Amino acid sequence: MKIPAMILAELRRLTSSRMSVLALAALICVPVLYGGLYLWANQDPYARLDQVPVALVVEDSGVDESGVVTNYGDRVAESLVEDGAFDWQRMPAAGAAAALEQGAVDFTVTIPTDFSDALVSPAGDEPRQATLELATNDANNYLASTIGAQAIERIRSSVAKLVGDQAALRLLTALSDVRDSLQTAADGAGELTSGAVDAVSGAGRLGDGAGQLADGTATLASGAADAASGAAQVASGTRQVADGTAALDGYADRAAAAAQSAVDALPEVRAALADEMAARGLTPEEIADVLAQLDPLGTRITSANDSVQAAVGQVDRLAEGAAQVADGAAQLADGTAQLASGTEAAASASGQLRDGVGTLATGLSALADGAGTLRDGLASGVTQIPETDESLREQQATTISDPVLIESSKVAAAADYGAGLAPFFAALAGWIGIYALFLIVKPVSRRAVTALHSPVRITLAGWLTPGLLGGVQMVALFGVLSIALGFTFANPLATLGIMVLAALTYAAIILALNVWLGSVGQFLGLVLMVLQLVTAGGTFPWQTLPTPLTGLHHILPMGFVVDAMRQLMYGGDLGRIAGDAGIMLIWTAVALLLAAIGVTRMTHRRTLRDLAPSLMS
């Protein structure tokens, strides 16, 4: 019997009755039902998140900003409701907690009382972070909790951007004001520099004048010292003159007194002479004649006394003048001494003034240099702060609060969530379909084993029958994915070819298990499916698997089926297809070889299993 005849014989057996046909049709539809329904249900769940009920609790009391009460909590809530990413339902806190516990909502988001106050706190003395409270209930749905965590992170980012916009705008406005102030300061520094330069020039002239003053006061001090010495000598001489005139005045006073005494004594002497002459017996006439001869002498004595008194008066005046001259000379000597001391001090001060003016000139020069540096630095600072208007500052604030724009690109892209899962579930559905077919398909015909002695033909016939039926399953599943679900395929024919090749590979593996182990092999096919379900990397990256399972990913065929379908379906690296297909062909060849060896054993030796067929075959 040839291989096609053996395949037709098995197909006739499978379609020998109406129930057989229905059973075969049902089993062929298993991959379609499994893969198609699952992928249909999960084709794009993220597009229907607006149907997920979420409780939104707003307890924010707002904050007073410059006399205006701002409630950021209400703003956030209005933005969320308007966005409509979820079915947001505003509730009080108690109602939200009850709804979450009863499963009426999948999670709750609470904006607390101090939310607005915390958002503006960085501008005060006690900055703190604002809080958003997320409450989930894994008893309702674990993935809903995960989605809630992602949602509140997006809310946090949007709130941070809102606050960042306002903070950055305030900062940029302040910088604009600083720029204006720096410009004013730069202008003032320029004027200071100009004034300092003028001051340096004036200090130079002042230094010259101070030098001349110092020289003049030094000369004056020298002359004043000489004058003081001469004045001291004059004072000494005038004091000697004054002393001499004072002595002369004393002699003159005594002479005047003597002359006055003589004048005063003339009447008494005349009377005494008259009495003496009378006593001597002179007659009055004789006495008168004698006295008449003496009267001229008295007259001369009186005249001499007048002259002496006049001379004494002059001597008195001379003595007084000499004393005054001596006193004046002494005062002059004291004054010239003080003048000498003062001019010496003035000369010293003038020298200090000259030195101070030099120091001042040096300081003013440094001031001029510093003012120039200040002017240049302020001017540089002004140029480093860009001149902005309100519109530009708003754009800058937006950029500062959200500085990173993510531009994502994909070497290969799945259209949606369902398309992302399609390779994995198509590969898994192929295994399930082949596994189900082996429930009614006989892996190896006992009659063929008995009648024929060609293990290769028997093995090929036992493999091609479920393999072809599995190919039909894959064609049907491909039709559902591409037509009913609308998935796009970058390489549709090649994708279908990989799916059919996967069915043939699975059929060879399960055939070998059945040939060698019978019903136990059929059960092991189920175990092998579970292992591949875990290790194929169809959902999470295979790198996240525990270490013992990562090795199986590189061995078992389903992971290579998934990889090949992804590359072909999404337009990925076609160079990897040959490697994936090669692994599947190796599995197919090794499985067929093992099945052929088992069939050979069956044709040469009978076992109790051959006499007592498996309940599953």
Side-chain angles (χ1 to χ4, degrees), residues 67-147:
V68 178
V69 176
T70 303
N71 193 308
Y72 287 102
D74 282 337
R75 287 189 183 182
V76 171
E78 292 169 1
S79 175
L80 293 175
V81 173
E82 182 179 352
D83 179 61
F86 296 93
D87 180 17
W88 296 101
Q89 301 175 15
R90 294 190 65 162
M91 299 181 180
L100 180 62
E101 183 175 356
Q102 297 166 5
V105 296
D106 284 349
F107 58 90
T108 67
V109 174
T110 300
I111 302 175
T113 305
D114 63 341
F115 183 74
S116 294
D117 187 63
L119 286 181
V120 300
S121 65
D125 297 332
E126 297 180 357
R128 64 186 188 282
Q129 291 179 307
T131 303
L132 290 172
E133 300 172 1
L134 170 68
T136 60
N137 187 351
D138 288 349
N140 294 334
N141 189 299
Y142 174 73
L143 285 181
S145 300
T146 304
I147 294 171

Side-chain angles (χ1 to χ4, degrees), residues 268-285:
E268 294 179 0
V269 170
R270 192 173 187 277
L273 286 175
D275 291 339
E276 182 64 27
M277 284 188 293
R280 288 182 179 272
L282 292 176
T283 63
E285 291 80 6

Side-chain angles (χ1 to χ4, degrees), residues 193-510:
T193 302
S194 177
V197 171
D198 293 340
V200 169
S201 176
R205 293 192 296 273
L206 178 61
D208 295 338
Q212 295 173 358
L213 176 62
D215 295 340
T217 52
T219 302
L220 178 62
S222 177
D226 294 340
S229 176
Q233 293 177 358
V234 170
S236 176
T238 54
R239 176 53 57 191
Q240 292 176 359
V241 172
D243 292 340
T245 53
L248 177 62
D249 185 57
Y251 293 134
D253 289 340
R254 285 194 295 272
Q260 187 64 40
S261 298
V263 171
D264 293 340
L266 281 177
E268 294 179 0
V269 170
R270 192 173 187 277
L273 286 175
D275 291 339
E276 182 64 27
M277 284 188 293
R280 288 182 179 272
L282 292 176
T283 63
E285 291 80 6
E286 292 176 341
I287 293 171
D289 289 338
V290 173
L291 291 174
Q293 294 179 358
L294 291 175
D295 285 337
L297 178 61
T299 301
R300 287 195 295 273
I301 291 173
T302 302
S303 177
N305 180 53
D306 293 337
S307 298
V308 169
Q309 294 300 329
V312 169
Q314 292 179 353
V315 171
D316 288 340
R317 288 192 295 274
L318 177 62
E320 291 177 0
Q324 291 176 354
V325 169
D327 293 340
Q331 292 176 356
L332 175 62
D334 293 340
T336 52
Q338 293 176 356
L339 174 63
S341 177
T343 53
E344 183 178 358
S348 175
S350 296
Q352 294 176 355
L353 174 62
R354 177 190 59 204
D355 296 339
V357 170
T359 303
L360 174 62
T362 302
L364 288 174
S365 178
L367 174 62
D369 293 340
T373 302
L374 175 62
R375 176 198 61 203
D376 296 340
L378 290 173
S380 176
V382 170
T383 60
Q384 291 178 13
I385 300 177
E387 185 176 3
T388 60
D389 55 22
E390 185 176 356
S391 175
L392 178 57
R393 287 195 293 271
E394 290 178 355
Q395 295 177 5
Q396 291 173 331
T398 301
T399 303
I400 291 173
S401 65
D402 190 13
V404 179
L405 176 63
I406 298 176
E407 293 184 355
S408 59
S409 62
K410 296 182 179 180
V411 175
D416 50 37
Y417 181 78
L421 293 178
F424 174 58
F425 281 97
L428 182 59
W431 187 280
I432 293 173
I434 294 297
Y435 183 85
L437 286 173
F438 270 94
L439 295 176
I440 61 172
V441 173
K442 291 182 178 181
V444 176
S445 171
R446 300 287 185 255
R447 184 174 60 181
V449 171
T450 303
L452 300 176
H453 298 282
S454 177
V456 173
R457 285 190 295 172
I458 296 172
T459 302
L460 291 176
W463 166 59
L464 287 175
T465 302
L468 293 175
L469 292 174
V472 173
Q473 291 176 328
M474 291 296 99
V475 171
L477 179 58
F478 183 82
V480 169
L481 296 180
S482 60
I483 299 174
L485 299 182
F487 292 154
T488 58
F489 295 84
N491 301 278
L493 294 179
T495 304
L496 178 59
I498 286 293
M499 293 172 67
V500 172
L501 177 59
L504 293 171
T505 301
Y506 298 158
I509 295 171
I510 297 178

Side-chain angles (χ1 to χ4, degrees), residues 430-588:
W431 187 280
I432 293 173
I434 294 297
Y435 183 85
L437 286 173
F438 270 94
L439 295 176
I440 61 172
V441 173
K442 291 182 178 181
V444 176
S445 171
R446 300 287 185 255
R447 184 174 60 181
V449 171
T450 303
L452 300 176
H453 298 282
S454 177
V456 173
R457 285 190 295 172
I458 296 172
T459 302
L460 291 176
W463 166 59
L464 287 175
T465 302
L468 293 175
L469 292 174
V472 173
Q473 291 176 328
M474 291 296 99
V475 171
L477 179 58
F478 183 82
V480 169
L481 296 180
S482 60
I483 299 174
L485 299 182
F487 292 154
T488 58
F489 295 84
N491 301 278
L493 294 179
T495 304
L496 178 59
I498 286 293
M499 293 172 67
V500 172
L501 177 59
L504 293 171
T505 301
Y506 298 158
I509 295 171
I510 297 178
L511 173 66
L513 291 174
N514 276 275
V515 167
W516 280 94
L517 301 173
S519 59
V520 175
Q522 186 75 4
F523 173 74
L524 289 178
L526 181 61
V527 173
L528 194 58
M529 181 191 73
V530 173
L531 284 175
Q532 295 182 101
L533 175 67
V534 173
T535 62
T539 52
F540 289 97
W542 63 266
Q543 291 87 349
T544 62
L545 294 171
T547 301
L549 297 178
T550 55
L552 293 177
H553 170 79
H554 297 290
I555 296 174
L556 298 177
M558 191 177 294
F560 297 97
V561 176
V562 172
D563 183 66
M565 285 194 63
R566 283 173 174 168
Q567 306 310 315
L568 292 170
M569 185 174 179
Y570 309 147
D573 183 8
L574 299 182
R576 292 162 58 174
I577 305 304
D580 294 331
I583 297 296
M584 287 187 279
L585 290 174
I586 291 173
W587 268 97
T588 303

